[in-house]
Amino acid sequence: MSADTRIVFTGRCYCSAITFSTTQAPETVAYCHCDSCRRATGGPVAAFAAFDEKAVTFTPDDGRQITVIPGSTRTFCAACGSSLTGRYDYLPGQVYISLGVIDQANDLAPKIHAHDSERLTWLHIEDDLERVSATARSKINDASK
Ligand SMILES: [Zn+2]
Ligand SMILES: [Zn+2]
């Protein structure tokens, strides 16, 4: 193990059957207001931190996979149902980890609202962050450069 593989962020699912750690800070942190993220996470809005896939280690693994929409694979803990990750064909090499399962979520404020056009009308998050109506893929990719 080289000297620069220090743990930066850690996390676990609700039941602690799955844990993970990262060796880098996330490339971006985003809210997602899309219908799919609401259903997958059960909350009125989802939030994710996007990491370089190579920087994250899951123990024993990142859970059960589910692909409902082609090109989008999510994982969840098969024991407790925690939403853990999302991987998207158009964002190769990145893994999106649900913000709520990261121990240091308080240090990871989102930078953007993705799919703001699908936001629940009664949900008002007051901030000055950029709001994009559709996918944030171009913004996210720009932000990670
Ligand atoms: Zn669990
Ligand atoms: Zn979404």
Side-chain angles (χ1 to χ4, degrees), residues 16-60:
S16 300
I18 293 173
T19 61
F20 59 88
S21 63
T22 80
T23 57
Q24 293 175 19
E27 295 173 340
T28 194
V29 184
Y31 288 108
C32 188
H33 295 277
C34 84
D35 181 82
S36 294
C37 285
R38 275 202 299 276
R39 291 182 195 281
T41 64
V45 58
F48 301 93
F51 291 91
D52 181 335
E53 205 162 36
K54 296 187 297 293
V56 187
T57 303
F58 292 91
T59 304

Side-chain angles (χ1 to χ4, degrees), residues 32-38 44 114-121 132-135:
C32 188
H33 295 277
C34 84
D35 181 82
S36 294
C37 285
R38 275 202 299 276
H115 290 275
D116 194 60
S117 59
E118 295 181 50
R119 178 173 46 82
L120 294 175
T121 56
V132 294
S133 59
T135 176

Side-chain angles (χ1 to χ4, degrees), residues 72-144:
S72 164
T73 299
R74 297 173 188 261
T75 70
F76 61 96
C77 174
C80 72
S82 283
S83 171
L84 294 171
T85 74
R87 290 183 179 78
Y88 308 94
D89 284 357
Y90 62 86
L91 295 168
Q94 283 189 323
V95 56
Y96 278 66
I97 299 181
S98 297
L99 203 55
V101 298
I102 299 174
D103 295 332
Q104 299 80 16
N106 205 41
D107 300 329
L108 294 171
K111 305 287 191 233
I112 191 170
H113 291 272
H115 290 275
D116 194 60
S117 59
E118 295 181 50
R119 178 173 46 82
L120 294 175
T121 56
W122 48 258
L123 182 67
H124 302 290
I125 299 175
E126 293 185 17
D127 59 35
D128 295 324
L129 300 180
E130 185 174 8
R131 293 163 188 266
V132 294
S133 59
T135 176
R137 75 183 71 172
S138 59
K139 301 290 183 188
I140 287 167
N141 286 339
D142 288 349
S144 67

